[in-house]
Amino acid sequence: MQVPFLDLKAAYRELQSELDAIYVQVMESGWYILGDAVKRFEEDFASYCGVRHCVGVGNGLEALHLVLRAWDIGPGDEVIVPANTYIATWLAVTYAGARPVPVEPDEKTYNLDAGNIAAVVNKNTKAIIAVHLYGQPADMDAINQVAQRYNLKVLEDAAQAQGAMYKGRFTGSLADAAGFSFYPGKNLGAYGDAGAITTNDDKLAEKLRALRNYGSKIKYYNDYQGFNSRLDELQAAFLRVKLRHLDEWNRRRSSLAEVYLQKILCPDLELPAVSEWVRPAWHLFVVRSSRRNELEAYLKSHEIDTLIHYPVPPHLSGAYRSLGFGPGDFPLTERLANEVLSLPMGPQLKISMAGLVIQTVNEYGKSSCGLNGKPEHERPEAI
Ligand SMILES: *Cc1c(COP(=O)(O)O)cnc(C)c1O
C-alpha cells in the first residue's frame, strides 16, 4: 500500500458536489476578478480570524510583499526574518528592496526565538516577520514585546497556519498584519494560486486594496505604482466553501498528530514539541533525526512518501549568495535542514495509513537502534 504525503484529489472528492456547484455559479455570473465572491470570502475569512479586514491577493508571497510595500519599507531598510523558514519569507523582503536579517530559531519549536531579536536591531530595522512554521504559532507575545520596545512593525507569515491558535486567538490576528497563502497544499488550499492579508488597521487595508490592483482605488485613477496581485473569483468561491470545513479538517490533522505522538517509539527520533499555549494547525508533522537520510530511504523503500521542509536554508541558497552568508553562520538552522523529515499528514489520510507509517518508523527504530523500539522511559536503567 502506497502512503501518499498529501492526497489533494481525495480532498476534492470529499467536497466535489459543493465545489462543482460553486464553479458553475461563478462561470455563469460572467464576472471573474474582484467581484462578489472575493468580497464575501474576505468577509468570512476576516470574521473567522477575528479581525476587521481581509484583503485577497494573488498568493502568499505577494501577501507578505504588499504589506511591506504598504509600510513603505524599501531600500536601506532591514527586516528581521527567521533563518529557518521557507524562502518566500525572505523573498518578500527582497522584492520590497529591503534586506532580510536572519535570526536563529528556538531549538524546540523551530520558530523564531524572540530572545535573538534585540542583538540584530539597528537604526535601519523596520519590521519583524514571524513565521508560524509547520502550523505552530510562534511566541507572538514575546515577539510583539520586543517589537514594541524598538518600535518595529510585526508581520505574521501565516501561510502554514490557517486555523491555528495562540492563547485562544487565531493566527492572522496576532500582529500588525498577517500574510496567508492558499496554495493548494496548505491547510486552507485553493485550486490554483491564492493568498490574503488580514489586519485590524483600516488605513493599511485601504492601501492594500489599492496596491493589489494597480495602485488604484477608483478605476483608471492611480494613487500608487501598484501591482497586479488579485485573488480571483473562482478561487475565492472555492475557498469560501473550504473555509466552512477548515476546523473539522484541522481536527482530523490534530487526531493524526496525537496518534503519531503517542505511538511512534523510535528512540532515534525527536517528535514535534507543542507549546502549551498553542493549538497547532498541524500543517506538517516534522520529526528530527541525526540519521534522517537513512530513515527517509527506509520509508521510501516501504512506499511511504515523505518530504523535507526544507533541505537548504535561504542563507545557503544560490538565491542569497549576494548576502555573503556561509556554512556555520546559522548552525541550528543548518542542523535542522539536515535532520528534519515530514511524515504523511492531511485531513484525508486514513488512520490505517497513519498506522502503517507508525509501524514502519518503529521497525526502522528497532533495526537501526537495537533498542527493541522501546521509548527512553521504558528502557531499563543503565547500571
Ligand atoms: C507557502 C508559503 C509561502 C508562500 O506562499 P505562496 O502562496 O506559495 O506564494 C510563504 N511562507 C511560507 C512559510 C509558506 O509555507
Side-chain angles (χ1 to χ4, degrees), residues 5-8 11 45 59-61 64 85-89 131-135 157-163 179-196 239 242-243 246 249-250 253 281-284 309-310 345-348:
F5 184 75
L6 175 68
D7 192 346
L8 291 178
F45 196 61
N59 54 62
L61 171 56
L64 300 170
T85 182
Y86 180 53
I87 197 166
T89 316
V131 181
H132 306 311
L133 198 67
Y134 307 150
D157 179 343
Q160 303 187 356
Q162 299 92 346
F180 285 91
S181 163
F182 305 122
Y183 180 79
K186 309 286 171 156
N187 288 38
L188 178 59
Y191 292 90
D193 277 309
L239 287 167
K242 292 189 79 180
L243 180 58
L246 178 61
W249 286 19
N250 277 352
R253 287 175 182 269
W282 292 109
H283 175 58
L284 296 169
H309 298 91
Y310 299 90
M345 168 56 78
Q348 281 73 33

Side-chain angles (χ1 to χ4, degrees), residues 273-306:
V274 180
S275 312
E276 63 198 34
W277 26 261
V278 305
R279 184 184 88 181
W282 292 109
H283 175 58
L284 296 169
F285 190 93
V286 178
V287 300
R288 193 174 154 195
S289 163
S290 55
R291 285 180 294 163
R292 187 265 315 275
N293 295 350
E294 285 169 48
L295 174 62
E296 182 191 26
Y298 187 84
L299 293 175
K300 189 168 183 196
S301 72
H302 289 76
E303 301 194 307
I304 293 170
D305 291 345
T306 59

